[in-house]
Amino acid sequence: EMIQLEDIPNLSSLVSSFDQQQLANFCRILAVTISELDTGSDDKHTLLAKNAQQKKNLGPSRAEMNQATLLDIPGFIERLCKLATRKVSETTGNSSFLQELEEWYTWLDNALVLDALMRVADEETEQSSTESSDESGFANTSTRNQLPQSMKIMHEIMYKLEVLYVLCVLLMGRQRNQ
């Protein structure tokens, strides 16, 4: 059963507090909650029969109610538009192919070393469960900061795709005039 966004307490303030990356990640969830469910019976019904069936349903679908809930959040569409139209960060221009290749080699080496260290840390944690989780969180953020530039750009593009999908679904919904 699809989640109903209006049942989430303080959704408006929660969404308003999201930074750009959190909002883009939230769009991944929204992609499911605002899209009509596919029943998988396309071969049994024609488009005309599906249209007649949809007209028989008196109330709006959950997806349509979720779309309306999102549109009621102040500034939500504006934030999505700003995120979708934000320029993808590019390299500084003086970065060469060899420099990018070197960044990839360094990142892969560090990732392999980090994986080995994490396995050792996990084994030690299993032996003594008194260690704090602050160290593992630090390791993850330092690895994220060392990503090669091309991978960072790819992440930004994927976030933008999620946001654009949500905007497109909203533009095709019943509340498109809003």
Side-chain angles (χ1 to χ4, degrees):
E1 183 123 350
M2 186 184 298
I3 189 171
Q4 199 159 349
L5 293 178
E6 65 185 18
D7 292 342
I8 299 173
N10 300 323
L11 178 67
S12 180
S13 61
L14 180 66
V15 171
S16 298
S17 70
F18 288 160
D19 64 20
Q20 288 186 339
Q21 185 173 359
Q22 290 170 326
L23 183 61
N25 283 327
F26 184 59
C27 284
R28 288 184 177 182
I29 298 167
L30 293 180
V32 175
T33 62
I34 65 172
S35 299
E36 295 294 334
L37 295 176
D38 184 19
T39 59
S41 59
D42 289 336
D43 55 343
K44 295 181 183 176
H45 301 295
T46 64
L47 290 176
L48 187 57
K50 283 186 178 183
N51 190 26
Q53 183 182 11
Q54 287 177 347
K55 286 183 179 180
K56 287 180 187 177
N57 295 338
L58 298 175
S61 68
R62 277 240 169 127
E64 291 170 337
M65 290 188 298
N66 285 340
Q67 291 173 18
T69 300
L70 288 176
L71 292 172
D72 289 340
I73 297 174
F76 179 71
I77 296 297
E78 290 83 2
R79 289 186 66 202
L80 285 184
C81 290
K82 285 180 184 176
L83 190 56
T85 58
R86 188 181 79 189
K87 189 173 182 136
V88 176
S89 64
E90 299 174 5
T91 56
T92 57
N94 57 8
S95 174
S96 68
F97 173 74
L98 293 176
Q99 185 178 4
E100 178 70 17
L101 194 58
E102 182 64 31
E103 287 179 8
W104 274 100
Y105 280 131
T106 304
W107 181 77
L108 288 172
D109 286 343
N110 290 342
L112 292 173
V113 169
L114 183 62
D115 285 343
L117 289 174
M118 293 302 283
R119 273 188 244 118
V120 170
D122 287 341
E123 290 170 4
E124 290 175 358
T125 303
E126 289 173 4
Q127 292 172 358
S128 65
S129 61
T130 59
E131 289 185 32
S132 70
S133 62
D134 293 340
E135 294 174 13
S136 62
F138 176 73
N140 289 339
T141 55
S142 67
T143 305
R144 189 175 297 148
N145 292 336
Q146 296 173 0
L147 287 175
Q149 186 66 24
S150 58
M151 188 179 279
K152 290 177 186 175
I153 292 172
M154 194 58 158
H155 282 297
E156 283 187 54
I157 291 170
M158 293 306 295
Y159 288 142
K160 287 180 73 135
L161 284 175
E162 302 287 348
V163 172
L164 287 171
Y165 178 80
V166 169
L167 284 171
C168 288
V169 170
L170 290 173
L171 285 170
M172 294 185 308
R174 284 189 182 179
Q175 293 85 10
R176 63 180 158 265
N177 291 336
Q178 286 180 313

